[in-house]
Amino acid sequence: MHILSTPIEYLKGVGPAKAELLKKEVSIFTYGDLLQYYPFRYIDKSKVFNISDISDDMPYIQLKGKIIQFEEIGQKRSKRLVAKFKDKTGLIDLVWFKGVRWIKSYLKLNQDYLIFGKPTSFKGKFNIAHPEVELYEDNFKRNALQAVYHSTDKLNAKGLNSKAIGLLIKKMLPFLKDKIEETLSKKLIEKLNLPQKEQAMFNIHFPVNHKELIRSQKRIKFDELFFLQLHLIKTKISRKNKSKGYTLNKIGDTFNDFYNNSLPFELTNAQKRVIKEIRKDVKGHYQMNRLLQGDVGSGKTLVALLCMLIAIDNGFQSCLMAPTEILSIQHFTTIVDFMKNQNVNIQLLTGSTKTKQRKIIHEDLLNGKIDILIGTHALLEDKVKFSNLAFVVIDEQHRFGVAQRAKLWTKNNFPPHILVMTATPIPRTLSMTLYGDLDVSIIDELPPGRKAIKTIWKSDSSRLQIIKFIKEQIYLKRQVYIVFPLIEESEKLDYKNLMEGYNSLVREFPLPDFQVSIVHGKMKSEDKEYEMKRFVDGITDIMVATTVIEVGVNVPNASVMIIESAERFGLSQLHQLRGRVGRGSEQSYCLLVSGNKISNEGKTRLKTMVDTNDGFKISEVDLKLRGPGDIMGTKQSGILDFKLADLIKDNKILQYARAEALKILEADPNLDLAENINISRFYRPYAREKVGWSRIS
Ligand code: ADP
Ligand code: MG
C-alpha cells in the first residue's frame, strides 16, 4: 500500500471519532485526501500594523502590544469582556462575548502579545471581536503566510478548526517526505519552470514565501488541468482511430427532393457550413461525435432534419431525442409537416404513447419500416431496438444526464453518429474541457429578417402599464407568454402564485375578447398538449406557464414574453425563455417583472438580459456568477472536480496545459517514450477512473 492510501485514523491525534467526522464532513479518508485538502486562503503574519493606522474595510490584521485593562460590561445576553489593548501608537478594544472566565485567567496584563483579527468600527471606535492572541517572543521564527482551511460546524465542535487541521497536516508531512511521485516529465517541469510535485504539495500548506506559494499553486493547477486535457485529447484521437462508424456518403432523392422542392426558405450560410462539416464526418469511416451550438432560433432543427434525410438516403434509420414531451411533439409536427410530400415514415414515442401504438413502433423499428423516430427519454428504454440506427440527434443536450446519453451507445453493435444540439452557448473555456473530446460546430447567424428582441425590466408596481401593453399587442393579433417561476423547494407556493396569476389574468382579459391557456407540470400530458396546441394554432392569445415551455417551443406569432419574478430565474433560463419570442418578422418584446428586493446577483442577471441578446456573452456572465460547477449538470458528473484550478481564473494555465498535452500526444500517442514515464504512470489509473463519461458526451 502506498503511504498516501494510509487511513486517516492512523495519523497520531486523529483517532476513530475524529476520523469518522473527517470522512463524513469533508471526505478525508486517507493521508492523500488530507494532503489534497488545500487551504482556501492565507493570512500574512509577517506584517504588524500600528493601531493608529487602522481604517475601515481592513482585512485580518496583526497588532503587537499589551493589555492594560479588563472590564466586564453589559447584562445577561449582552454581557461581554472588553480589554484595552495598547501599542505605541494608540488603543483599541478587544471584545469577547463567550469564554470570558477562561480568557481572563489565561491572558495577563502588561504582557507582550501578538493579536490577530478583523477590526470593525462601532460608534466611531474600532474594536476586534474574538481575536487570536499569542505570546510575543522576539526570537521566534514564524511562518509568514499561514494557511486557512475550511472547517464545518461539526468539525469545529470537535476541535478540528482550521488551525487544528493545519497541525494534522504538519504532523503528517514528515511521513510523506520523498514519497510523492513526480507526475510530470523533467522536460516539462524545466520548460515551464515549475517546482517538483512534492515541493509544491508541501509548500502549498506551509509556504516559505509568497512567490513560492504562487509557483506551487500554479504547479498543482497545471497538473489538474493537464491530465484532464491529456485524457480528453487522447480519447478523441483513439475514437477517431478505433471506432468505425456507418458510412453515409450518398446524397439521394429524399434529401434532394426536400431541398429542391419543399424547403420553404434558403438556408443561412451558417446552416450550410455546419451541414458540410457534418457531411465530412459521416462520409468518412469513423463515428461522429459532434456538438452543435446555436443560439435560440438559429435553425438547428432543420440542420438535424437534413442530416437525418442523408441517413435515409443511405438506407439507415435516425432518431431525435428531446428533453420534454412538448418539445418532442413539436419536433414531430414540424418534421411531419416538412415531409408532407415525401414518403418518409416518422413516428413519435413518448411516455404517454399508448401500449398498442408502442408495440407497433417497437416492431416497425426492428423490421426497418420506421425511418425517423422522435421522442423523449422513452427512446432509451431497453425495449426500443432499431434495425439499423446510424444517426442520433439529441436536442437541448444539457437536459439529459451523462448516463442517459451513454445508453444510446448500446443500441447498436456499431455506434451511431451523434449530433448533440444545444442553445445554451457554452463559453469556449468550458466547452474545451467539458466537451474536449467532441467536435464543435457553431451556427452564429440567425435567419434573415429577424428583429432584435427588446428587453425591458419592470417592477411589480407597473402592473397596469403591462396589462395595457399586452392588450395592445393582442389587438395587433400577436400572442403573449406569461411565465411564472417554479422552483422545487417552494413548489407549493409557486403553484399558488401561478394559479393566482392565472385567475387575475382571466379577470383582466375576459372572454370572448381574450383566450387564455395554461400549462404546468402538474397537468396531465394530454391536457398540456391540448392547451399547447391551442396556443400554437393561434386560438388562444395568452399562454400562462411555468418553465415547461422553456426549451425549444416554436410559435412565430408570439411576440411578447413576460417573465414574472424574473429575479428568481437563472441567466441561461431567462435567455432560453426570451428565445421563445422573436421568431417571426414582428418586433418582439421581453418584459422582466421583478420585485423590489433583489440581490446584487439578481440585479446583474436582469441587467445583463437588458443589455445583450448575445447568448455567448450571457453564458460568460452566467459562468462568472455561478461558477462552472453548477452549469449544465456538470456538478453531478464530477468532470470539473478540480481541487484548486478554476476554469475561468486559470484560463491561461488551461491553455498551456492543453497545448502541452497536444504536443506530447502528437509525438508519443501512447505515452510509451521513456521521457514520459512519469506522465503515463499517473495517467493510467486516472484514465480508468474517468472512463465513464469520456466516451459519451
Ligand atoms: P432552434 O435553433 O432554436 O432550435 P428552430 O430550429 O426552432 O431554432 O428554428 C426557428 C425557426 O426558424 C423555425 O420556425 C424554423 O422553421 C425557422 N428557420 C430555420 N432555418 C431558417 C432559415 N434558413 N430561414 C428562415 N427561417 C428558418
Ligand atoms: Mg430547438
Side-chain angles (χ1 to χ4, degrees):
M1 187 177 70
H2 192 273
I3 179 97
L4 287 177
S5 314
T6 313
I8 195 65
E9 48 265 52
Y10 289 23
L11 188 63
K12 232 180 155 180
V14 174
K18 282 184 179 168
E20 205 51 39
L21 263 186
L22 285 170
K23 289 174 196 174
K24 262 209 191 113
E25 292 286 295
V26 282
S27 300
I28 296 177
F29 290 84
T30 61
Y31 281 19
D33 295 335
L34 183 61
L35 182 65
Q36 288 185 70
Y37 196 70
Y38 301 129
F40 73 98
R41 70 181 173 92
Y42 297 84
I43 46 190
D44 189 349
K45 290 215 161 178
S46 62
K47 201 166 171 186
V48 176
F49 280 82
N50 287 329
I51 291 178
S52 61
D53 291 339
I54 293 176
S55 62
D56 271 324
D57 271 346
M58 268 190 163
Y60 284 77
I61 57 164
Q62 188 166 243
L63 302 169
K64 182 191 157 236
K66 296 177 167 69
I67 295 173
I68 54 165
Q69 188 199 333
F70 281 115
E71 195 183 353
E72 279 183 66
I73 43 181
Q75 291 297 319
K76 288 196 178 143
R77 290 191 60 200
S78 68
K79 199 166 152 176
R80 58 198 187 273
L81 176 68
V82 178
K84 302 265 175 234
F85 186 77
K86 181 176 182 295
D87 72 1
K88 52 186 187 301
T89 69
L91 263 175
I92 189 170
D93 286 348
L94 310 180
V95 188
W96 288 268
F97 299 93
K98 277 194 254 173
V100 169
R101 257 203 5 232
W102 188 77
I103 298 282
K104 261 179 92 173
S105 65
Y106 170 72
L107 297 179
K108 306 262 175 313
L109 292 178
N110 297 315
Q111 168 98 52
D112 274 330
Y113 286 121
L114 273 176
I115 68 142
F116 189 79
K118 187 174 164 47
T120 47
S121 79
F122 181 70
K123 290 189 178 158
K125 260 175 70 184
F126 285 102
N127 69 70
I128 296 178
H130 288 257
E132 274 177 40
V133 182
E134 65 183 83
L135 222 50
Y136 178 79
E137 290 164 89
D138 240 347
N139 50 3
F140 185 70
K141 190 171 161 277
R142 64 197 81 242
N143 234 329
L145 286 170
Q146 209 173 74
V148 184
Y149 299 90
H150 277 297
S151 184
T152 66
D153 287 346
K154 283 187 185 156
L155 286 175
N156 267 322
K158 279 271 176 292
L160 283 171
N161 55 12
S162 165
K163 216 169 183 175
I165 293 173
L167 276 173
L168 288 182
I169 294 171
K170 195 170 191 170
K171 262 189 225 156
M172 175 182 67
L173 288 190
F175 297 104
L176 305 185
K177 186 108 189 65
D178 301 325
K179 297 270 167 47
I180 297 182
E181 278 168 36
E182 183 48 64
T183 48
L184 297 180
S185 64
K186 209 169 150 216
K187 205 166 138 189
L188 207 52
I189 291 176
E190 274 166 15
K191 181 174 165 193
L192 300 173
N193 184 26
L194 295 169
Q196 298 284 329
K197 179 119 176 187
E198 179 165 307
Q199 192 190 336
M201 298 209 72
F202 282 27
N203 202 45
I204 201 148
H205 294 288
F206 300 98
V208 289
N209 59 40
H210 197 71
K211 192 172 149 236
E212 284 307 307
L213 172 63
I214 301 286
R215 280 185 76 222
S216 301
Q217 287 174 323
K218 193 173 149 196
R219 163 68 213 247
I220 291 169
K221 289 172 177 178
F222 183 88
D223 266 40
E224 290 183 345
L225 297 166
F226 172 78
F227 281 100
L228 183 57
Q229 291 305 321
L230 194 77
H231 184 56
L232 292 167
I233 298 165
K234 213 165 166 317
T235 316
K236 186 162 164 179
I237 295 174
S238 77
R239 178 164 50 75
K240 289 203 169 167
N241 290 340
K242 265 192 296 197
S243 63
K244 290 205 166 177
Y246 295 98
T247 305
L248 310 178
N249 54 4
K250 212 172 83 186
I251 296 270
D253 290 346
T254 321
F255 183 98
N256 283 330
D257 269 358
F258 173 68
Y259 194 83
N260 298 327
N261 307 324
S262 305
L263 188 60
F265 33 66
E266 175 87 3
L267 292 184
T268 62
N269 286 328
Q271 284 171 318
K272 285 184 191 162
R273 189 190 67 237
V274 169
I275 290 173
K276 262 192 207 143
E277 286 166 0
I278 296 171
R279 276 209 66 202
K280 214 167 138 202
D281 281 358
V282 300
K283 251 197 308 206
H285 301 287
Y286 70 89
Q287 177 254 346
M288 178 184 82
N289 242 338
R290 191 171 274 281
L291 174 72
L292 174 55
Q293 290 192 47
D295 216 337
V296 277
S298 61
K300 295 184 291 294
T301 316
L302 194 59
V303 169
L305 174 62
L306 286 165
C307 294
M308 294 195 286
L309 297 186
I310 295 176
I312 295 176
D313 276 339
N314 288 273
F316 291 103
Q317 296 171 306
S318 325
C319 71
L320 166 65
M321 188 161 76
T324 63
E325 180 146 14
I326 292 178
L327 195 52
S328 318
I329 293 167
Q330 186 156 48
H331 279 320
F332 178 72
T333 1
T334 316
I335 289 177
V336 166
D337 188 51
F338 271 138
M339 292 284 105
K340 58 179 178 270
N341 300 323
Q342 250 134 326
N343 184 20
V344 174
N345 187 342
I346 307 162
Q347 296 298 327
L348 176 71
L349 180 69
T350 70
S352 33
T353 307
K354 297 275 178 329
T355 319
K356 207 171 130 204
Q357 174 66 6
R358 194 176 285 261
K359 260 199 171 141
I360 299 175
I361 289 178
H362 289 167
E363 272 166 31
D364 286 354
L365 278 175
L366 268 181
N367 63 30
K369 272 192 196 150
I370 294 175
D371 299 306
I372 297 178
L373 181 65
I374 298 172
T376 53
H377 304 93
L379 301 199
L380 296 173
E381 281 165 19
D382 291 334
K383 280 193 192 132
V384 181
K385 294 200 178 81
F386 295 80
S387 84
N388 58 3
L389 177 68
F391 202 91
V392 172
V393 183
I394 305 178
D395 195 19
E396 307 296 350
Q397 77 82 33
H398 57 283
R399 285 300 188 93
F400 289 103
V402 170
Q404 286 170 324
R405 275 180 273 147
K407 273 208 103 170
L408 280 167
W409 281 80
T410 61
K411 295 263 166 212
N412 273 351
N413 315 337
F414 238 33
H417 298 294
I418 294 191
L419 181 67
V420 173
M421 307 200 292
T422 176
T424 308
I426 300 152
R428 248 195 74 73
T429 21
L430 193 56
S431 67
M432 219 163 72
T433 299
L434 203 48
Y435 303 114
D437 86 314
L438 284 184
D439 296 304
V440 179
S441 289
I442 295 175
I443 304 187
D444 49 6
E445 177 184 8
L446 292 180
R450 301 258 174 91
K451 291 200 179 81
I453 302 164
K454 287 198 176 127
T455 302
I456 303 153
W457 176 6
K458 286 271 173 200
S459 95
D460 266 335
S461 51
S462 328
R463 189 82 33 208
L464 284 176
Q465 221 188 331
I466 296 170
I467 286 169
K468 188 165 159 262
F469 175 72
I470 298 177
K471 285 189 174 160
E472 282 165 13
Q473 289 289 312
I474 294 175
Y475 287 131
L476 291 169
K477 298 263 174 295
R478 314 268 191 276
Q479 288 164 283
V480 178
Y481 290 103
I482 304 180
V483 176
F484 285 80
L486 185 79
I487 317 288
E488 267 168 49
E489 302 90 75
S490 44
E491 193 176 325
K492 256 200 186 133
L493 197 68
D494 280 344
Y495 270 114
K496 201 170 144 245
N497 288 343
L498 173 75
M499 292 321 293
E500 272 170 14
Y502 173 73
N503 289 333
S504 74
L505 272 163
V506 173
R507 280 195 299 275
E508 291 293 343
F509 298 91
L511 292 162
D513 287 5
F514 303 97
Q515 298 272 346
V516 186
S517 278
I518 181 165
V519 167
H520 58 75
K522 284 201 171 157
M523 285 162 70
K524 280 208 210 116
S525 58
E526 53 236 58
D527 297 341
K528 262 193 271 183
E529 201 181 308
Y530 173 78
E531 285 293 305
M532 203 59 220
K533 191 161 179 333
R534 294 206 315 147
F535 188 68
V536 173
D537 293 344
I539 298 166
T540 54
D541 308 296
I542 300 178
M543 165 60 79
V544 179
T546 55
T547 45
V548 288
I549 59 148
E550 176 191 340
V551 282
V553 178
N554 189 29
V555 181
N557 190 50
S559 65
V560 182
M561 167 62 67
I562 295 174
I563 306 176
E564 295 281 346
S565 305
E567 73 275 18
R568 291 179 56 196
F569 290 84
L571 251 183
S572 69
Q573 231 180 353
L574 289 171
H575 183 61
Q576 280 286 328
L577 286 169
R578 177 168 62 183
R580 297 309 106 214
V581 298
R583 308 192 139 230
S585 50
E586 307 304 335
Q587 176 63 56
S588 289
Y589 303 88
C590 174
L591 267 62
L592 308 169
V593 186
S594 77
N596 292 323
K597 273 195 201 149
I598 312 180
S599 66
N600 282 338
E601 203 185 303
K603 280 181 194 153
T604 309
R605 286 197 297 263
L606 298 184
K607 196 172 167 304
T608 307
M609 287 294 292
V610 172
D611 287 348
T612 182
N613 274 313
D614 181 336
F616 277 92
K617 274 196 197 133
I618 288 174
S619 74
E620 295 281 356
V621 178
D622 198 26
L623 186 60
K624 275 195 193 125
L625 288 179
R626 290 200 292 162
D630 274 343
I631 294 193
M632 293 160 302
T634 52
K635 212 167 207 168
Q636 71 266 38
S637 69
I639 299 173
L640 305 177
D641 264 355
F642 303 120
K643 294 247 166 15
L644 214 57
D646 178 317
L647 281 179
I648 306 161
K649 292 191 197 126
D650 302 319
N651 186 252
K652 234 180 161 164
I653 304 179
L654 172 65
Q655 310 277 352
Y656 275 150
R658 186 168 174 86
E660 293 301 335
L662 257 173
K663 242 181 259 164
I664 288 173
L665 287 175
E666 259 164 31
D668 183 15
N670 292 315
L671 301 174
D672 293 329
L673 292 182
E675 66 174 53
N676 291 327
I677 179 114
N678 290 348
I679 296 176
S680 74
R681 203 185 295 136
F682 182 80
Y683 175 68
R684 301 247 138 82
Y686 174 93
R688 274 198 295 278
E689 217 172 276
K690 297 268 181 204
V691 90
W693 55 268
S694 60
R695 246 167 66 102
I696 338 150
S697 342

